[in-house]
Amino acid sequence: MPVLVMKFGGTSVATLDRIRRAAKRVGVEVAKGYDVIVIVSAMSGKTNELVGWVNETSAMYDAREYDAVVSSGENVTAGLMALTLQEMDVPARSWQGWQVPVQTTSTHAAARIEAIPPENIMAKFADGMRVAVVAGFQGVSPEGRITTLGRGGSDTTAVAFAAAFEAERCDIYTDVDGVYTTDPRVEAKARKLDKISFEEMLELASLGAKVLQTRSVELAMRYKVKLRVLSSFEEQSDDAGTLVCDEEEIMESNVVAGVAFSRDEAKMTLVSVADRPGIAAAIFGALSEGGVNVDMIVQNIAEEGRTDMTWSCPVDQVKRADVAMKKAAKDGVINYDELIADEGVAKVSVVGIGMRSHTGVAAKMFKVLSDEGVNIKVITTSEIKISVLIDRKYMELAVQALHDAFELDKAG
Ligand code: ADP
Ligand code: ASP
Ligand code: MG
């Protein structure tokens, strides 16, 4: 029988009622003749609560135990979903990551899926089971320990299962009815896209649009998974939601497809380091070793053989960066005057494959921000995106102004 993957995010399984609702949607697809793999998230808020408990217990926690704790939310919803389906006379069974097994690397809290042998679940399908309910977000390391895939990781579980089982489609059910030109919570005029290219979705996701985890889009692109985002709250037709697909399948589009933002960023400046070959390698090597995810980088103009180095990173990694730089200085790898942290910045980005052939997008973006009196602190660009770092208090304003200026409320 053809296989379908259906993933339900946290808000879609937040209560027993919502689980019932989601199970009904699953029942509809089973009735059409699909064997269904359902991937569930933890109930909304649960993972945050678990992460909070870990942090409260141990500030410099052991990541293996972090994973043991934070993976547990999904176990609950998987069991409840299987029970709900059984109550509806749909033969269903729950699976935790290690039972499948979802084999991952041992990078705890940010593991990558290496393989999903389909045999165990396939054997159950052959036996008459119609729905395998799999706990998202989790797997098992080569050492046999539970791992998690990073926040939002259930999306990646879903796409990886779709690839491993050659599913006809991977449907991501969430609390919005598709991918929008920007987060509809920030811009009410945001418009739902019927289709978006893998490349654009990949950029939007990695620049902060949390509707899909970045890695899930990467996998879908690589394995040609038919990926759809749709609402679990509304009755859905077969062409509802947003299809993430190859750019060739999209007939018309705007130069800018969407605006993404990332609220909790920090800008750090290492003041007065030697301007010599190898200095960037020394600084960013030490930051990487210290577990800091550096995003943007600017090296300022040197004066008398000294220069300042600026980077951005998630605001909750400022402390780690400080520790890493102090250690590097102590080890004699670098020397510097001081490390300044600006913890009140956000990143706003415009994304669109149309930028490959259209000039002037950057100039327009900067003009719009200047007209709003928003100062740009750092800029980075790539072929299909432009990102700026600005004061966090102007983030919403900037997103709305850019959405307006690029007329994203109108179809291209
Ligand atoms: P789930 O719990 O179902 O995984 P998430 O909260 O992870 O849901 O992702 C859905 C949320 O993503 C939406 O509620 C929305 O606020 C946010 N979002 C951010 N950018 C976008 C976008 N461009 N399109 C749609 N939703 C977006
Ligand atoms: N529950 C996990 C999280 O909140 C995984 C997910 O929902 O995708 O990050
Ligand atoms: Mg999510």
Side-chain angles (χ1 to χ4, degrees):
M1 277 192 223
V3 172
L4 193 66
V5 172
M6 303 172 77
K7 179 254 173 178
F8 293 93
T11 41
S12 311
V13 292
T15 62
L16 296 184
D17 249 0
R18 290 203 184 156
I19 292 178
R20 249 173 253 130
R21 214 177 158 134
K24 272 194 202 135
R25 287 274 336 143
V26 176
V28 170
E29 302 296 349
V30 170
K32 285 185 198 164
Y34 288 107
D35 279 341
V36 180
I37 299 176
V38 172
I39 310 293
V40 286
S41 286
M43 290 178 169
S44 70
K46 191 70 210 171
T47 310
N48 284 345
E49 181 183 46
L50 296 168
V51 170
W53 288 347
V54 170
N55 282 319
E56 221 179 296
T57 308
S58 166
M60 301 298 281
Y61 54 73
D62 176 335
R64 283 162 293 208
E65 301 311 335
Y66 168 95
D67 278 350
V69 176
V70 306
S71 62
S72 65
E74 272 72 9
N75 297 346
V76 175
T77 39
L80 290 172
M81 176 64 85
L83 285 172
T84 309
L85 287 160
Q86 289 173 1
E87 286 294 311
M88 292 164 43
D89 292 327
V90 178
R93 184 61 63 207
S94 74
W95 303 75
Q96 296 182 9
W98 64 272
Q99 292 173 301
V100 175
V102 178
Q103 295 166 350
T104 73
T105 58
S106 33
T107 317
H108 285 275
R112 289 164 80 92
I113 297 177
E114 304 240 274
I116 303 176
E119 293 78 17
N120 290 342
I121 287 181
M122 278 308 202
K124 287 286 182 188
F125 277 142
D127 246 14
M129 175 186 75
R130 300 299 308 283
V131 182
V133 185
V134 178
F137 181 49
Q138 51 172 262
V140 60
S141 72
E143 294 77 31
R145 307 247 21 129
I146 306 296
T147 54
T148 63
L149 310 178
R151 297 306 305 272
S154 296
D155 298 328
T156 300
T157 308
V159 174
F161 270 82
F165 287 80
E166 295 173 10
E168 195 167 296
R169 215 172 52 235
C170 180
D171 286 342
I172 306 283
Y173 285 88
T174 183
D175 57 359
V176 280
D177 59 351
V179 177
Y180 279 70
T181 46
T182 193
D183 190 338
R185 288 173 210 253
V186 166
E187 169 56 279
K189 283 184 275 177
R191 179 172 53 89
K192 185 179 80 85
L193 299 164
D194 292 331
K195 290 181 177 177
I196 186 166
S197 68
F198 284 121
E199 286 86 350
E200 287 167 328
M201 191 64 240
L202 194 58
E203 287 286 0
L204 287 174
S206 72
L207 295 167
K210 71 168 182 165
V211 61
L212 286 174
Q213 197 196 35
T214 309
R215 181 86 184 119
S216 72
V217 187
E218 261 170 36
L219 283 181
M221 195 163 152
R222 165 128 54 96
Y223 294 103
K224 301 250 169 275
V225 171
K226 201 165 166 194
L227 180 62
R228 192 164 71 135
V229 177
L230 67 174
S231 164
S232 65
F233 298 133
E234 291 156 31
E235 283 310 311
Q236 296 295 351
S237 59
D238 279 344
D239 59 354
T242 300
L243 190 67
V244 188
C245 58
D246 283 326
E247 67 180 272
E248 291 76 36
E249 290 177 51
I250 301 173
M251 297 307 274
E252 49 195 330
S253 61
N254 291 328
V255 176
V256 171
V259 181
F261 54 83
S262 168
R263 190 183 302 269
D264 298 310
E265 300 288 317
K267 170 172 161 268
M268 303 191 77
T269 301
L270 201 57
V271 180
S272 187
V273 288
D275 184 29
R276 58 164 172 84
I279 188 67
I283 294 171
F284 295 106
L287 288 170
S288 149
E289 233 169 77
V292 180
N293 299 98
V294 171
D295 178 18
M296 302 163 142
I297 296 175
V298 190
Q299 180 171 352
N300 302 354
I301 295 165
E303 246 178 84
E304 292 168 13
R306 309 294 290 178
T307 186
D308 295 345
M309 194 73 87
T310 297
W311 66 84
S312 71
C313 65
V315 73
D316 60 4
Q317 295 183 0
V318 164
K319 181 88 195 115
R320 274 194 216 175
D322 188 41
V323 171
M325 291 298 91
K326 282 190 176 128
K327 179 173 180 298
K330 196 162 151 259
D331 294 347
V333 182
I334 56 170
N335 72 64
Y336 61 95
D337 279 358
E338 59 174 329
L339 178 57
I340 302 169
D342 176 353
E343 301 192 33
V345 296
K347 182 170 67 174
V348 175
S349 313
V350 299
V351 171
I353 42 183
M355 283 184 216
R356 284 186 197 137
S357 48
H358 282 73
T359 54
V361 175
K364 183 164 173 180
M365 178 178 192
F366 304 153
K367 171 88 170 52
V368 169
L369 295 175
S370 112
D371 287 349
E372 297 292 334
V374 177
N375 188 31
I376 300 171
K377 293 165 181 260
V378 181
I379 300 168
T380 55
T381 65
S382 76
E383 199 188 16
I384 66 162
K385 72 121 203 272
I386 304 157
S387 298
V388 296
L389 215 56
I390 60 172
D391 273 332
R392 190 176 301 136
K393 60 176 183 268
Y394 298 129
M395 193 194 79
E396 275 86 358
L397 172 71
V399 170
Q400 289 158 2
L402 290 167
H403 197 273
D404 263 352
F406 287 104
E407 301 188 350
L408 300 190
D409 54 331
K410 301 187 187 90

